[in-house]
């Protein structure tokens, strides 16, 4: 009997020890993970019972803040500038969670990223005892002035503007229309919020999906920046090869022809072909380069890779796999002019222009500038870093000369972007959609030889006709944005600040945190936003128009187009 009692006692003791260990593990070691679990309802409610850090523009405008309320929660998120910055800030919603910078930098805005370690100094103890609000605020690289310049230049039309500082990757403008008011989703009346969300999902153009970095379109002739780079990188002799003057190019393996825009006739060497955006010439160049060289160059510029922009669910630009060309040689010619199954975000084309502007280096794009604590002290700044070495400085210099000709030559397609006293380098694009509409593109940088801004503009689904081209529709938008940047003096100020900056002992560098973790990581990782599409038969050249996008951020939408022709 005594032996059985001892066994029962030992068993109870083991269970007690196991319970003690488990409780201590949950309360001490696993507490943070449980506290921050998205399924923890008390955590979600608690986030509305304390202030969240502010989001501020580069020129000091308040973009997102928490204000006291008298309803079931203590605080509500408000967005003073409404729709202007919606696709950067995103929203913070009790019903639909967080989007945009609110999601990427959630752990900073809530203060969850701060260490819970014990203070090691008197000052540290004083800060711990006096700091009741642990939330931190973020300041963006985008100014209200530049964002407004982009919106004004679009003039209410559907379209997108992306502007980047080539030397740093700092985003200067990121605007898409249609947009939305994030205040509609941040309210505390869940019935009203759900009704608002339903209307936004059903709205034309899907305003909840940022067209600048989450949707893709055929880049058309702006892709000739990359094709020209491939010439210098893989077969420089093609730069001085004289191509015949044609209005249509006979393609191999088929009786189909690749036409110039509006039946125009053109030919000559690379400079002449680029200046007038000659499709027949670039189609022939693509065939001379071959699918492998075109693919390699596109990949080096970021196609089929996710740009490390510090916002959620960034889409990948797409270029056809080399294997797809083996039985479809004409597709190489179409791809060389940015059609076939080539697709890109406006962000990608801005990065391509920025790469040429920055001697072949594409810097990682970012919207975060620095982080401040609740006392307004800077605690970290974003550390600029290269993303890709797209090409060599020599090739970048050669392509710059081609792009200067587009704007400055009498027959250049980008003359509408000319700015007195400023050298603008650019490439126009007019992508055919196959539905009697075009997508008007323009990619540019300025001022040459020391560029401080690279811009990509897209106006999709424009009427088809000579009056509707990238050079006539998108070029003036890019010009206005470049002028706003140069007139602001911000470029000079940033250059001086960059050259004289001294890091103080209290300032550290930070990089974009993961959108799924409160810890700081090296870049935002997002799922691919597009999927390869099958090329149509050569006997049926009309393309599909950009696909309708989906509203949530978790699965980026796809948009691709195929067409046998492209225009200036």
């Amino acid at each position: 009997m005594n032996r059985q009692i001892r066994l029962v006692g030992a068993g109870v003791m083991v269970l007690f020890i196991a319970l003690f260990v488990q409780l201590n593990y949950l309360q001490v070691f696993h507490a943070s993970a449980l506290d921050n679990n998205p399924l923890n309802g008390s955590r979600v409610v608690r986030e509305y019972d304390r202030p969240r850090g502010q989001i501020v523009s580069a020129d000091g405008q308040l973009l997102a803040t928490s204000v006291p309320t008298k309803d079931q929660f203590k605080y509500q998120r408000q967005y003073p500038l409404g729709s202007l910055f919606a696709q950067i800030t995103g929203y913070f919603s009790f019903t639909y969670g967080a989007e945009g910078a609110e999601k990427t930098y959630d752990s900073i805005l809530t203060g969850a990223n701060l260490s819970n370690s014990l203070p090691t100094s008197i000052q540290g103890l004083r800060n711990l005892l006096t700091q009741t609000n642990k939330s931190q605020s973020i300041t963006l690289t985008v100014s209200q002035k530049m964002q407004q310049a982009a919106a004004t230049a679009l003039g209410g039309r559907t379209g997108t503007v992306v502007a980047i500082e080539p030397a740093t990757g700092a985003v200067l403008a990121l605007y898409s229309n249609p947009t939305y008011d994030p205040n509609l989703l941040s309210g505390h009346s869940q019935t009203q919020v759900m009704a608002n969300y339903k209307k936004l999902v059903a709205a034309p153009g899907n305003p909840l999906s940022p067209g600048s970095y989450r949707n893709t379109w055929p880049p058309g002739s702006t892709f000739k920046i990359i094709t020209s780079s491939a010439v210098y990188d893989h077969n420089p002799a093609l730069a001085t090869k004289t191509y015949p003057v044609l209005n249509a190019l006979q393609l191999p393996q088929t009786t189909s022809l690749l036409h110039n825009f509006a039946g125009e006739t053109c030919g000559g060497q690379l400079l002449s072909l680029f200046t007038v955006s000659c499709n027949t010439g670039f189609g022939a160049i693509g065939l001379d380069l071959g699918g492998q060289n075109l693919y390699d160059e596109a990949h080096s510029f970021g196609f089929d890779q996710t740009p490390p922009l510090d916002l959620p669910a960034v889409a990948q630009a797409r270029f056809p796999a080399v294997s797809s060309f083996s039985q479809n040689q004409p597709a190489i010619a179409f791809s060389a002019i940015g059609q076939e199954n080539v697709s890109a975000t406006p962000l990608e084309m801005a990065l391509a222009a920025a790469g040429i502007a920055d001697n072949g280096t594409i810097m990682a794009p970012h919207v975060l500038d620095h982080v401040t604590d609740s006392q307004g002290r800077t605690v970290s700044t974003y550390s600029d870093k290269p993303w890709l070495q797209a090409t060599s400085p020599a090739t970048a210099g050669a392509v710059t000369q081609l792009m200067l000709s587009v704007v400055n030559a009498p027959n250049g397609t980008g003359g509408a972007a000319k700015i007195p006293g400023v050298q603008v380098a650019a490439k126009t694009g007019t992508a055919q959609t196959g539905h009697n509409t075009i997508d008007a593109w323009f990619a540019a940088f300025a001022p040459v030889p020391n560029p401080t801004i690279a811009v990509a503009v897209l106006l999709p689904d424009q009427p088809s006709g000579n009056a509707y081209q990238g050079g006539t529709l998108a070029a003036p938008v890019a010009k206005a944005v470049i002028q706003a940047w140069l007139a602001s003096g911000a470029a000079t100020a940033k250059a001086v600040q960059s050259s004289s900056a001294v890091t103080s002992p209290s300032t550290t560098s930070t990089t974009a945190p993961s959108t799924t973790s409160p810890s700081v990581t090296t870049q935002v990782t997002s799922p691919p936003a597009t999927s390869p599409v099958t090329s149509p038969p050569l006997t049926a050249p009309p393309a599909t128009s950009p696909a309708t996008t989906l509203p949530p951020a978790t699965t980026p939408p796809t948009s691709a187009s195929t067409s046998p022709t492209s225009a200036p």
Side-chain angles (χ1 to χ4, degrees), residues 277-323:
S277 199
C278 183
N279 287 337
T280 55
F282 268 89
I285 287 175
L287 293 170
D288 285 344
L289 281 169
Q292 185 67 60
N293 287 335
L294 276 175
Y295 176 85
D296 290 345
E297 197 73 16
H299 189 266
S300 72
F301 271 84
F303 280 70
D304 299 308
Q305 301 179 70
T306 303
L309 177 68
D310 48 341
L311 291 173
V314 180
Q316 290 186 357
R318 294 293 189 183
F319 190 85
V322 177
S323 59

Side-chain angles (χ1 to χ4, degrees), residues 6-239:
R6 285 196 298 271
L7 290 174
V8 171
V12 171
M13 182 62 69
V14 169
L15 292 174
F16 178 79
I17 293 174
L19 179 63
F20 178 80
V21 171
Q22 177 68 4
L23 287 174
N24 278 270
Y25 170 75
L26 291 175
Q27 294 180 8
V28 178
F29 298 102
H30 201 50
S32 178
L34 292 173
D35 188 53
N36 292 289
N37 192 304
L39 300 178
N40 186 348
S42 63
R43 180 191 70 86
V44 177
V45 173
R46 189 168 62 250
E47 286 186 352
Y48 284 83
D49 285 339
R50 60 191 180 194
R52 186 176 175 88
Q54 297 179 341
I55 301 178
V56 183
S57 71
D59 48 359
Q61 298 296 312
L62 188 61
L63 307 180
T65 187
S66 295
V67 297
T69 64
K70 296 182 180 180
D71 53 27
Q72 69 268 38
F73 302 120
K74 291 183 180 180
Y75 292 94
Q76 179 175 321
R77 202 63 166 163
Q78 285 190 356
Y79 302 89
L81 294 186
S83 61
L84 185 62
F85 278 82
Q87 295 175 343
I88 301 177
T89 63
Y91 52 78
F92 182 67
S93 171
F94 184 81
T95 306
Y96 297 105
E99 170 63 293
E102 292 273 28
K103 182 176 183 178
T104 300
Y105 292 107
D106 178 74
S107 63
I108 290 175
L109 294 169
T110 61
N113 66 314
L114 297 177
S115 172
N116 292 320
S117 60
L118 294 175
T120 58
S121 65
I122 297 298
Q123 182 62 40
L125 179 61
R126 184 181 295 112
N127 291 340
L128 180 65
L129 295 175
T130 59
Q131 186 178 7
T132 58
N133 179 12
K134 291 186 177 182
S135 66
Q136 297 173 306
S137 297
I138 62 173
T139 297
L140 304 180
T141 59
V142 185
S143 67
Q144 185 270 341
K145 180 173 182 178
M146 287 299 296
Q147 195 76 345
Q148 186 60 60
T152 301
L154 283 176
R157 294 169 293 180
T158 297
T160 292
V161 176
V162 179
I164 294 174
E165 189 175 38
T168 66
V171 175
L172 306 177
L174 193 75
Y175 182 80
S176 295
N177 188 52
T179 181
Y180 68 98
D181 184 355
N183 291 296
L184 296 173
L185 302 178
S186 65
H188 291 171
S189 170
Q190 298 314 298
T191 301
Q192 185 61 55
V193 167
M194 286 187 285
N196 293 340
Y197 185 83
K198 185 177 181 180
K199 289 180 180 179
L200 289 172
V201 170
N206 193 4
L208 290 176
S209 183
S212 55
Y213 65 88
R214 201 173 287 164
N215 303 339
T216 64
W217 292 265
S221 292
T222 57
F223 188 81
K224 291 171 184 174
I225 294 172
I226 297 170
T227 303
S228 298
S229 297
V231 168
Y232 293 110
D233 285 341
H234 298 282
N235 193 345
L238 297 179

Side-chain angles (χ1 to χ4, degrees), residues 249-285:
L249 175 67
Q250 178 64 57
L251 299 170
Q253 299 179 336
T254 180
T255 58
S256 296
L257 302 174
L258 188 156
H259 294 272
N260 287 316
F261 182 73
E264 295 172 347
T265 299
C266 55
Q269 296 184 357
L270 181 60
L271 176 60
S272 297
L273 302 177
F274 195 94
T275 300
V276 301
S277 199
C278 183
N279 287 337
T280 55
F282 268 89
I285 287 175

Side-chain angles (χ1 to χ4, degrees), residues 153 157 275 403-420 422-429 440-444 457 459 466-483 568:
R157 294 169 293 180
T275 300
M403 295 175 71
L404 284 170
S405 181
V406 168
V407 177
N408 296 303
N411 60 341
T413 58
K418 188 178 296 184
I419 301 173
V422 177
Q423 287 280 61
V424 178
K427 183 66 193 79
T428 55
W441 285 87
F442 198 76
V457 175
L459 296 170
N466 290 343
Y468 302 95
Q469 304 174 32
T472 54
L473 295 178
V477 176
K479 175 183 177 179
V481 172
I482 292 172
Q483 286 178 311

